[in-house]
Amino acid sequence: MHVPPGWDAAAQHIHRHGFRRVLVLGAKDTGKSTFCRFLAETAAQSGRSTALLDTDVGQKLVGPPACVTMDDPQGLSLAFVGTTNPVLGWPRLVEGTRRLAQQTDADCLIVNTSGLLTGPGRSLKAAKIDALRPDLLIAVGEGQSLDAIAHDASVLPSLCVPASREARRKTDGERRMARREAFRQYFSQSGVLKLVSGVLTPSHVEAPLPARLLVGLSNEPNHDLGLGLLLNRIEGEILEVLSPIVEDGVLWVHPGLLILGEDFTEKHLPAGR
């Protein structure tokens, strides 16, 4: 791991001042994810219990795409968003971020974000900041878009660290391929669940749902277990869902906005569906 001098200084600053919630911002391909993992590892080495919260629903640092995910001392947890597009998944993304941050008991929470910074990205970052209430912002790299977000949250202390010189620019095709592989790995040990259609959220009980629709599976209103792929709806009564989750724990099924092909390529449904 290439560690620019400014990265180590930032880690020491967090340790010295005891910051508990650190939100990391940055454009694509600046080494932001690597920096988040470096901060989490450094905090753990200093003896603090540490959680890594990944709010990037597309290029994941932790867990499967289309979710907010968190790795903390209790293990991996997630909040279903249902899309790899952060703007389309805005409400679930912000609420999932809030919920996972609230449920961890870790002493130090490091939060990774997407590289979407301008336009709706700026507003989304403001919503995440409001949901998280971090006590430190760290910008990886420089630029007017980062300055604008920092200005919006000027009441919070902030740092700027250099981008990694080893960060490689990825094409959109490489990003799609990474998501396909992440989905493929997630579903590699799956079985077919047979669930009654009554487990669907009320607005979808009678609605037609396409095959291979990505769905979230939960056992409590605010506790998602994992992901599934809707394979079939038998006579409107039984849902066949491909998932690594154990059937007995599923009480609710939340349809997403993403259809995954046999090779896990993505097709988005309209947001208003």
Side-chain angles (χ1 to χ4, degrees), residues 141-208:
E142 300 176 340
Q144 292 182 348
S145 55
L146 283 172
D147 293 341
I149 294 172
H151 179 269
D152 293 341
S154 57
V155 296
L156 297 174
S158 61
L159 293 176
C160 182
V161 300
S164 171
R165 66 170 182 263
E166 294 186 4
R168 186 180 66 83
R169 186 170 183 82
K170 296 179 284 293
T171 66
D172 290 343
E174 288 174 317
R175 294 177 186 279
R176 287 192 296 270
M177 186 179 299
R179 291 196 298 270
R180 285 201 302 271
E181 183 57 29
F183 279 127
R184 183 180 290 110
Q185 289 183 8
Y186 180 83
F187 286 105
S188 62
Q189 302 297 319
S190 294
V192 177
L193 312 182
K194 292 184 181 295
L195 307 170
V196 295
S197 60
V199 299
L200 283 166
T201 50
S203 61
H204 293 91
V205 170
E206 301 296 334

Side-chain angles (χ1 to χ4, degrees), residues 45-104:
Q45 290 167 4
S46 71
R48 303 180 72 183
S49 61
T50 307
L52 185 55
L53 177 61
D54 187 2
T55 69
D56 187 342
V57 294
Q59 301 301 300
K60 297 302 294 180
L61 175 60
V62 175
C67 303
V68 179
T69 47
M70 184 172 68
D71 186 13
D72 75 350
Q74 305 305 314
L76 180 67
S77 53
L78 60 80
F80 179 68
V81 176
T83 174
T84 56
N85 183 318
V87 177
L88 292 180
W90 186 307
R92 283 176 172 172
L93 174 53
V94 173
E95 179 53 36
T97 296
R98 186 196 315 274
R99 187 185 348 138
L100 293 189
Q102 289 175 342
Q103 78 179 32
T104 184

Side-chain angles (χ1 to χ4, degrees), residues 29 66 102 198 263:
D29 305 320
Q102 289 175 342
D263 60 351

